[in-house]
Amino acid sequence: MVRDHVRPGQTLFLGGFGHAVPFALGQEIVRQGIGGLTLCRSGADILFDQMIAAGVVRRVIFGYVGNPGVGLGHAFRRAVAAGTLELEEWTNFAMILRLHAGRLGVPFLPARILGIGDQTPATAAAARIACPYTGTELTAIPALVPDVALIHAQQADDEGNVQLWGVDGDTVEGALASERILVTVERIVPAATLRAAPERTRLPAHRVTAVAEVPWGAHPSWVDGAYGRDDAHYRDYDAVSRDPATLDRWLDDWVRSGGGARCTDLLTDDDLAALRTALGGAS
Amino acid sequence: MTALGETARIALAAARELADGESCFVGIGIPSDAALLARRSHAPRLGLIYESGVFGADPPGPPLSTGSPEVAAGAAMIADGLTAFGELQAGRISCALLSAAQVDRFGNLNSTVLGPYEAPKLRMVGSGGAHDIACLARRLIVVMPHDPRRFVERVDFATSPGAAPRDTARRRALGLGPGPSVLITGRGRFEMTADGWRLAATLPGFSAADALEGLPWGTPPGPVPGVAFDAAALSALAALPHLHEPSPAP
């Protein structure tokens, strides 16, 4: 799926606002060495950091890059210091509006933010406009239309209708803003199962380019109803990513040698059972 | 009383700023801890709202991320980020709590870079929703551990705009909220004035001199009262799952 649909230099939206982060898809891109990428989303966690560390990212369009609740994105921080990563820095609300404008097919959306405080080069370049009705000064937040969205979800049918529930953030926003959507799911289900609860379908088949069944494809993030968040893994990542050589060995183990869904080979059965029954998991 | 940890003191003092029935936009860490403490003590109908789109949250344990299972579990509603920030921009969320790496005299907050933007001494996580919250919140409370390196005359980068007099005029023109009005540190409660932060009260176990130690601003014109933590709040605190420890200043 990745080989067929992701090209070097493309702009990729990565789904998952803490929940259902598409680790298997992102790590497969690293394995295939598809480089020169631009990654975008509002709040990005350690999948961004891993892909930056692996050298496949040229540019990030973002509101936040870090390890939520733990600390900084160390590979991100080093790449900025080394000048090897281009930054297009917005805020989370601005990124959501950029994607929403892309989803709506309009060139921009007005907002009240970004008119005060220090601006990044990207936000300083955003146009100031006057409301045509009231004259109020607003920021014209430009649309963002990524080439490809990488999404992980609970389930899909074999037609490609995708059901995703639980915490969304900007995941559906970014998927529907994108030209193409690649999806991994915990399970493929019969069409009748999906159609029994169509309100859970967030991405319709005609917009979905490809679907693959990849259980545990969002580990170490979580999937509502399947497994809880592996907070220990996020904390461990903070320790290993502080040193580039240590991180490189860690990437060999967790990403280059298999990665993604292969976390089931690296975690013990007890670990997996604990995550399955953790808060947010299968209960 | 001095046996209370710093996060506990800040959470107790910040919780006092929140009234029952309010809706409060919170981030991870002390902001989330403080709002949860208020909800578990004097404000049982306080609505906790996270930028991930979760409304009416009641975390059973401390979440690491606004998208964590603890935020979703037992919440009243899971929507999306557009809904959360949309409600905030429309002025329909009553207050917000924020923290950052640095705060300055007029309540500008920095979570972007230490040093110049183009050649930072330390690149941090960026705004996330912090800029948006500081612009749009109708009432904003800032919470910070008492670490003098975090309190500066002028932040290196104003990720989240403050409430200097000229900013106040600009905020009105843009239809924004008034900016930060209260700062809770591990030692004191400060209020925003035309001259910047001014110590308004001390936390239990600390003198005014303690609360001002190492700060480049904040001296009050006269003596200030002490805050007392009531028994109900202390017992709610004891029943809370462990609080976030403050991270060291970068």
Side-chain angles (χ1 to χ4, degrees):
Chain A
M1 179 161 76
V2 165
R3 182 168 284 113
D4 290 342
H5 299 292
V6 181
R7 298 276 167 269
Q10 283 185 322
T11 296
L12 309 184
F13 170 80
L14 272 56
F17 200 97
H19 170 240
V21 180
F23 275 91
L25 276 167
Q27 293 176 346
E28 179 60 24
I29 285 171
V30 170
R31 239 173 344 267
Q32 294 190 20
I34 302 171
L37 299 171
T38 294
L39 304 185
C40 65
R41 67 167 293 99
S42 59
D45 80 5
I46 64 174
L47 179 56
F48 263 52
D49 203 66
Q50 289 172 19
M51 293 177 75
I52 292 166
V56 298
V57 184
R58 179 177 66 82
R59 185 159 179 263
V60 286
I61 309 175
F62 69 103
Y64 167 105
V65 179
N67 188 341
V70 176
L72 304 178
H74 296 295
F76 166 70
R77 173 174 62 77
R78 282 191 295 270
V80 173
T84 56
L85 184 67
E86 293 173 31
L87 302 185
E88 186 181 330
E89 180 165 15
W90 296 80
T91 71
N92 280 5
F93 186 32
M95 284 301 297
I96 290 167
L97 290 171
R98 293 200 64 192
L99 295 165
H100 195 63
R103 176 182 179 180
L104 297 182
V106 296
F108 72 91
L109 284 169
R112 296 189 188 277
I113 57 171
L114 304 178
I116 185 172
D118 286 338
Q119 304 300 317
T120 70
T123 62
R128 316 285 317 157
I129 57 171
C131 168
Y133 300 106
T134 65
T136 301
E137 183 183 337
L138 295 160
T139 305
I141 311 279
L144 179 59
V145 178
D147 295 311
V148 182
L150 309 182
I151 303 296
H152 186 78
Q154 280 95 348
Q155 58 193 34
D157 65 11
D158 59 9
E159 226 182 299
N161 295 296
V162 174
Q163 297 198 316
L164 171 61
W165 61 88
V167 175
D168 175 324
D170 59 352
T171 302
V172 170
E173 215 71 76
L176 293 178
S178 298
E179 298 284 3
R180 281 173 297 284
I181 307 173
L182 305 184
V183 185
T184 53
V185 291
E186 291 297 316
R187 57 195 169 265
I188 301 287
V189 297
T193 304
L194 180 133
R195 285 167 187 268
E199 70 281 3
R200 285 191 159 181
T201 306
R202 306 300 305 277
L203 307 175
H206 78 275
R207 287 286 279 115
V208 175
T209 304
V211 174
E213 187 178 72
V214 184
W216 295 95
H219 177 270
S221 77
W222 65 296
V223 174
D224 200 328
Y227 44 90
R229 191 175 190 269
D230 193 347
D231 286 344
H233 188 99
Y234 280 87
R235 289 198 176 89
D236 291 347
Y237 185 78
D238 180 68
V240 299
S241 62
R242 284 169 186 268
D243 172 61
T246 311
L247 178 55
D248 203 54
R249 284 194 298 278
W250 187 93
L251 290 173
D252 282 342
D253 291 344
W254 283 91
V255 179
R256 296 191 189 101
S257 69
R262 303 293 176 82
C263 72
T264 50
D265 300 337
L266 296 166
L267 295 169
T268 67
D269 289 347
D270 287 349
D271 292 336
L272 293 171
L275 288 171
R276 231 179 252 118
T277 56
L279 187 68
S283 71
Chain B
M1 207 59 100
T2 48
L4 286 169
E6 181 161 36
T7 299
R9 295 195 304 274
I10 299 171
L12 282 161
R16 292 163 53 94
E17 306 291 329
L18 307 173
D20 198 18
E22 281 200 292
S23 50
C24 187
F25 204 107
V26 293
I28 292 300
I30 302 176
S32 177
D33 293 340
L36 185 60
L37 180 63
R39 184 175 162 83
R40 300 277 172 87
S41 52
H42 66 278
R45 287 165 302 168
L46 179 70
L48 274 62
I49 300 166
Y50 291 83
E51 62 172 345
S52 54
V54 180
F55 287 69
D58 193 2
L64 279 188
S65 148
T66 65
S68 276
E70 290 81 3
V71 172
M77 174 170 101
I78 300 179
D80 56 21
L82 186 70
T83 305
F85 284 112
E87 287 287 297
L88 187 69
Q89 180 169 260
R92 293 174 178 136
I93 294 174
S94 52
C95 61
L97 290 167
L98 268 184
S99 192
Q102 288 182 322
V103 58
D104 69 16
R105 176 183 295 273
F106 288 107
N108 295 290
L109 303 176
N110 178 13
S111 48
T112 304
V113 285
L114 296 183
Y117 185 84
E118 298 295 349
K121 278 189 284 185
L122 182 67
R123 173 67 225 195
M124 299 184 288
V125 293
S127 164
H131 170 90
D132 313 313
I133 293 167
C135 284
L136 302 172
R138 300 293 105 178
R139 186 159 58 86
L140 180 62
I141 298 145
V142 177
V143 291
M144 299 282 282
H146 183 97
D147 176 344
R149 289 171 300 173
R150 293 175 179 270
F151 302 97
V152 295
E153 182 57 39
R154 181 76 174 92
V155 291
D156 294 355
F157 189 94
T159 313
S160 306
R166 72 181 159 80
D167 292 334
T168 300
R170 177 91 178 125
R171 281 173 170 279
R172 268 197 295 273
L174 295 173
L176 304 179
S181 56
V182 170
L183 165 67
I184 306 289
T185 73
R187 299 182 181 182
R189 177 183 185 278
F190 297 74
E191 291 177 358
M192 183 57 71
T193 72
D195 298 320
W197 293 119
R198 181 174 289 169
L199 183 67
T202 54
L203 302 197
F206 295 94
S207 67
D210 295 333
L212 294 167
E213 186 185 355
L215 274 58
W217 34 254
T219 304
V224 298
V227 170
F229 296 142
D230 64 45
L234 288 166
S235 72
L237 179 79
L240 267 193
H242 80 267
L243 300 171
H244 292 83
E245 294 303 321
S247 52

